Amino acid sequence: MIYGDKKTGIIVAGATGRQGEYHIGLMNEYARQVGGRGVVAGVTPKKGGQSVHGVPVYNTVKEALKEQDATASVIFVPGTAAADSIMESADAGLELVVAITEHIPVHDTMKAMAYAEMKGCAVIGPNCPGLLSPGEVKMGIMPADLFSRGHVGVISRSGTLTYEVVDELTRAGIGQSTVVGIGGDPVIGQTFADVLERFAQDPETKAVVLIGEVGGNLEAEGAQNTDVPLVAYIAGVSAPPDKRMGHAGAIVEGGESDARSKIAKLKKMDIPVASRPSEIPDLVRELFRCRC
Amino acid sequence: MKLLEYEAKQLFAEEGIKVPTGILVSKHEEILLHMDAIKGKVVVKAQVDIGGRGKAGGVLMADRDTVIETARKLFNTTIKGIPVQRILIEERLDIQHEYFVSITMDRAKKQPVILFAETGGMDIEETARKNAGAVRSVSFCPLLPDVPGFLLRELCGDAPSDIQKTVNRLYHVFCHKDALLAEINPLVTTPGGVYAADAKLIIDDNSLARQGIAVNRDLTEREREAEKHGFSFVELGGTIGVIGNGAGLTMSTLDLIEFYGGRAADFLDVGGGADSERVMHAVRLAASVPSVKVIVVNLLGGITRCDEVARGIIASGVTVPVIVRIAGTNAEEGRKLLSEKGYEMLDTMDLVVKRAVEVVK
């Protein structure tokens, strides 16, 4: 497992908001199914003493940690307050922050990422669906019923496209070890390279599907420095230049941030690149065939 | 959102960067009111959001005698197809040397990055292509309030120390105004000091509210309608309308259209957890794109419930054919509702896109 397992205690920041409350319910339902600890505390300033789905709410992360044993937090705090919440978790000594929030000002994100790094805290996201290790742990908002346990890791910049690919894999009988949504913003915490480094150490993971999109250059950077067998898919071949395609980070800005350049780079590294999501399971199977 | 030159210059001036004295007019006759302020030689600059404005004829030279006629001519032209609605008339600077400075973000390093060149001006891209060493860059920890002095010295080389100060002030603009890009090209030395002769500033859309910007005027009317409902929306000019949930899945649907030989009319991401009303507005919006002949709805229900999606499609009442692929939460019920009304449905995104391409052909 990477990032967490059944034993991971989770804090949810923004616990009393609509999204926070809803997903505490779903995360703990999953935890019950797999026999994990799940969400052990919620945090919302000035709402300490309340409870959400039986989970106690505290005013601060530090207060929560006095009474509960947790190593990770999932952030549902809205845009302009979310970066502060990421720093609060990092400052309290948590190892992992999963930031679901969309629309965080990018200057805030940049500062929060620098701060978290100083504190030795890994941040997944922001603007991401979180992560799910089937049969172990769910930290975020991924729909658990599409997943099946197995040996293929998935790293993706998007949400529903990840579910689409996971669904294709599951239907093809290819289970997943851990699926990580790293987020669609221009500045994110854990990059393809960081997650691949974890997958490389993970005995459960035999291959990784890398789902990228237009904007930036992080896909090739990640693929370059790993020995893990990869299959890639890049969305946005038809995206016009200088238009933001939904995600704040999905924008072709000259240079080599367009899909075709990314695909060409990956192919140059002998990485099979799917031309559409439904091709991914076959390419994964071929990968295993080649290696045995 | 991109700011126009005169707006950016106002913000630059607030941080202590010198900008030329200027007059903004929206008709050439208005210049008559400002003749006292126009002493000698001036530059007449179209305020349009266009790269390469100078080369496209958007910047003209004039003096006190010719300024009105020059402005009149400029108002009557278009710059790369964009009409000129505002003109900035600025004192012409006595330029000794031109530099280039640009601040943006390095995604890989997650840090601000400053680019600097000792030869600025219209040909900076050409310069950078020909001589990779001509543009220097530094990046540093975003928690620092100023550009560290040693990096300024490294970056600016032999340029006068006022240039270094101006670069640091531009970094203040970059931070305080939530900029994705802050650029001065050219940054010039004159006998009267260092001036920003031009100014470029792009504000992060996620920060418009706290920057006190109420309306994102980069948006078209349909884009504004989309923003009202919280959709991401881009028009693409083809015939197949696209509605999806999630940016990645929607983008992937566009790519599939291209793969099967069609052309998408739009990118419309309804976001997570859309109810029937949002879906209804989405379908109507996609149908309002003039070139649309058929609409593909590709939704993977997680938080989004497919029965709500179906109700929204039916409620939209649009006349353009809508072909649907819904999967996930409550998909059975959604399919039942749609089939009662005679909507065409297919099981996978490959099939639904293939079908739409056939319908158009």
Side-chain angles (χ1 to χ4, degrees), chain A residues 126-208:
Chain A
N127 189 10
C128 81
L131 70 117
L132 196 150
S133 298
E136 288 287 334
V137 67
K138 162 173 154 155
M139 292 187 250
I141 62 173
M142 292 184 180
D145 50 352
L146 301 176
F147 292 69
S148 57
R149 188 164 182 156
H151 300 291
V152 172
V154 178
I155 314 172
S156 172
R157 281 170 68 187
S158 54
T160 43
L161 180 58
T162 315
Y163 315 154
E164 178 81 30
V165 172
V166 167
D167 189 35
E168 295 270 5
L169 289 171
T170 296
R171 282 165 193 272
I174 302 168
Q176 307 92 43
S177 54
T178 301
V179 178
V180 186
I182 56 173
D185 273 1
V187 174
I188 52 173
Q190 296 285 289
T191 60
F192 284 107
D194 298 320
V195 185
L196 280 166
E197 222 178 285
R198 304 248 185 170
F199 273 134
Q201 309 294 323
D202 177 31
E204 294 282 313
T205 305
K206 310 287 182 217
V208 170

Side-chain angles (χ1 to χ4, degrees), chain A:
Chain A
M1 292 311 124
I2 61 173
Y3 295 111
D5 55 25
K6 282 177 193 164
K7 299 190 287 290
T8 306
I10 304 163
I11 290 174
V12 165
T16 55
R18 202 170 60 92
Q19 291 290 325
E21 184 181 341
Y22 180 67
H23 287 289
I24 286 174
L26 290 182
M27 275 188 266
N28 277 352
E29 192 184 307
Y30 193 71
R32 265 192 299 278
Q33 281 170 23
V34 303
R37 292 183 60 217
V39 181
V40 296
V43 169
T44 304
K46 295 180 186 161
K47 298 277 171 77
Q50 297 185 4
S51 79
V52 173
H53 298 292
V55 173
V57 176
Y58 300 84
N59 288 316
T60 67
V61 175
K62 278 185 187 146
E63 277 177 30
L65 286 175
K66 275 183 200 152
E67 294 182 18
Q68 306 294 338
D69 172 27
T71 51
S73 70
V74 181
I75 307 237
F76 289 98
V77 175
T80 47
D84 186 66
S85 180
I86 294 171
M87 291 191 282
E88 185 192 355
S89 281
D91 188 64
L94 295 181
E95 293 164 13
L96 177 71
V97 172
V98 179
I100 308 298
T101 311
E102 193 180 353
H103 300 308
I104 303 181
V106 67
H107 277 265
D108 291 6
T109 303
M110 217 166 36
K111 292 194 177 87
M113 294 307 138
Y115 188 84
E117 200 181 318
M118 272 181 351
K119 296 282 177 182
C121 168
V123 180
I124 295 176
N127 189 10
C128 81
L131 70 117
L132 196 150
S133 298
E136 288 287 334
V137 67
K138 162 173 154 155
M139 292 187 250
I141 62 173
M142 292 184 180
D145 50 352
L146 301 176
F147 292 69
S148 57
R149 188 164 182 156
H151 300 291
V152 172
V154 178
I155 314 172
S156 172
R157 281 170 68 187
S158 54
T160 43
L161 180 58
T162 315
Y163 315 154
E164 178 81 30
V165 172
V166 167
D167 189 35
E168 295 270 5
L169 289 171
T170 296
R171 282 165 193 272
I174 302 168
Q176 307 92 43
S177 54
T178 301
V179 178
V180 186
I182 56 173
D185 273 1
V187 174
I188 52 173
Q190 296 285 289
T191 60
F192 284 107
D194 298 320
V195 185
L196 280 166
E197 222 178 285
R198 304 248 185 170
F199 273 134
Q201 309 294 323
D202 177 31
E204 294 282 313
T205 305
K206 310 287 182 217
V208 170
V209 177
L210 193 151
I211 306 167
E213 62 189 31
V214 293
N217 186 31
L218 295 177
E219 290 87 352
E221 184 209 58
Q224 220 161 25
N225 298 312
T226 187
D227 297 328
V228 182
L230 297 175
V231 167
Y233 171 75
I234 305 287
V237 172
S238 56
D242 290 323
K243 290 281 184 190
R244 249 167 245 287
M245 304 303 279
H247 289 150
I251 178 166
V252 177
E253 296 169 301
E256 297 183 320
S257 64
D258 64 293
R260 280 178 222 282
S261 304
K262 289 185 183 214
I263 291 168
K265 267 193 209 167
L266 292 166
K267 284 190 170 164
K268 226 175 168 180
M269 293 179 231
D270 288 325
I271 294 165
V273 182
S275 56
R276 51 206 159 108
S278 55
E279 268 181 21
I280 293 173
D282 283 344
L283 292 180
V284 172
R285 261 197 225 105
E286 248 164 67
L287 208 60
F288 284 124
R289 206 171 299 147
C290 294
R291 297 178 63 80
C292 54

Side-chain angles (χ1 to χ4, degrees), chain A residues 22 103-108 110-111 114-115 118 157-158 160-161 163-164 186-189 213-216 218 221 233 235-238 240 243-247 249-251 253 260 275-278, chain B residues 105-108 110-112 141-143 174-175 178-180 204-207 210 223 232 234-236 245-249 251-252 254-256 258-260 267 269 298 300-303 325 349-350:
Chain A
Y22 180 67
H103 300 308
I104 303 181
V106 67
H107 277 265
D108 291 6
M110 217 166 36
K111 292 194 177 87
Y115 188 84
M118 272 181 351
R157 281 170 68 187
S158 54
T160 43
L161 180 58
Y163 315 154
E164 178 81 30
V187 174
I188 52 173
E213 62 189 31
V214 293
L218 295 177
E221 184 209 58
Y233 171 75
V237 172
S238 56
K243 290 281 184 190
R244 249 167 245 287
M245 304 303 279
H247 289 150
I251 178 166
E253 296 169 301
R260 280 178 222 282
S275 56
R276 51 206 159 108
S278 55
Chain B
M105 279 161 196
D106 185 318
R107 289 186 181 206
K110 306 167 204 177
Q111 291 182 337
C141 173
L143 297 171
F174 178 72
C175 296
D178 276 306
L180 299 178
D204 180 2
D205 286 349
N206 288 337
S207 305
R210 75 177 180 196
E223 282 168 351
S232 299
V234 180
E235 280 187 46
L236 299 165
N245 62 336
L249 186 66
M251 230 186 303
S252 178
L254 302 184
D255 294 348
L256 215 48
E258 195 174 289
F259 182 85
Y260 286 114
F267 165 99
D269 168 14
N298 181 20
L300 191 66
I303 326 171
R325 181 266 177 147
M349 59 190 273
D350 280 88

Side-chain angles (χ1 to χ4, degrees), chain B residues 21 34 42 94 128 183 223 239 278 281 336 351:
Chain B
T21 313
H34 301 284
V42 291
D94 182 7
E183 185 173 298
E223 282 168 351
T239 50
R278 282 167 60 80
H281 287 301
K336 199 172 145 245
L351 290 173

Side-chain angles (χ1 to χ4, degrees), chain B residues 60-286:
Chain B
L60 303 173
M61 299 300 154
D63 55 33
R64 209 179 134 80
D65 297 333
T66 57
V67 61
I68 295 178
E69 179 57 17
T70 308
R72 192 187 65 78
K73 271 190 203 150
L74 195 52
F75 273 122
N76 287 333
T77 55
T78 58
I79 311 298
K80 293 189 181 170
I82 306 286
V84 179
Q85 291 176 326
R86 288 188 205 83
I87 287 177
L88 181 65
I89 297 160
E90 281 185 337
E91 59 169 324
R92 209 184 307 170
L93 298 168
D94 182 7
I95 295 172
Q96 293 166 326
H97 193 85
E98 296 189 335
Y99 299 89
F100 162 83
V101 59
S102 181
I103 309 181
T104 180
M105 279 161 196
D106 185 318
R107 289 186 181 206
K109 289 182 180 158
K110 306 167 204 177
Q111 291 182 337
V113 55
I114 310 183
L115 307 176
F116 183 87
E118 304 213 9
T119 50
M122 291 201 281
D123 294 316
I124 182 67
E125 275 145 15
E126 194 56 33
T127 308
R129 221 184 343 263
K130 279 190 189 145
N131 176 7
V135 180
R136 290 193 285 267
S137 78
V138 296
S139 56
F140 52 94
C141 173
L143 297 171
L144 295 171
D146 288 286
V147 186
F150 75 96
L151 286 181
L152 281 173
R153 291 191 292 276
E154 186 186 317
L155 186 72
C156 301
D158 296 330
S161 63
D162 268 0
I163 291 284
Q164 293 181 21
K165 281 182 194 147
T166 307
V167 170
N168 193 42
R169 285 176 186 142
L170 187 65
Y171 179 62
H172 293 162
V173 173
F174 178 72
C175 296
H176 299 162
K177 301 303 171 193
D178 276 306
L180 299 178
L181 174 79
E183 185 173 298
I184 305 174
N185 183 31
L187 172 67
V188 302
T189 48
T190 74
V194 169
Y195 280 85
D198 196 1
K200 211 181 206 179
L201 196 60
I202 303 176
I203 310 286
D204 180 2
D205 286 349
N206 288 337
S207 305
L208 293 182
R210 75 177 180 196
Q211 289 297 336
I213 300 169
V215 183
N216 184 349
R217 49 138 207 264
D218 284 357
L219 304 181
T220 64
E221 202 177 311
R222 274 193 288 274
E223 282 168 351
R224 228 167 255 161
E225 173 73 12
E227 197 189 36
K228 203 171 85 191
H229 299 292
F231 305 148
S232 299
F233 178 70
V234 180
E235 280 187 46
L236 299 165
T239 50
I240 302 175
V242 175
I243 297 170
N245 62 336
L249 186 66
T250 313
M251 230 186 303
S252 178
T253 312
L254 302 184
D255 294 348
L256 215 48
I257 290 174
E258 195 174 289
F259 182 85
Y260 286 114
R263 282 200 60 207
D266 73 286
F267 165 99
L268 197 169
D269 168 14
V270 292
D275 59 13
S276 61
E277 201 182 321
R278 282 167 60 80
V279 173
M280 178 188 78
H281 287 301
V283 177
R284 284 183 185 165
L285 180 62

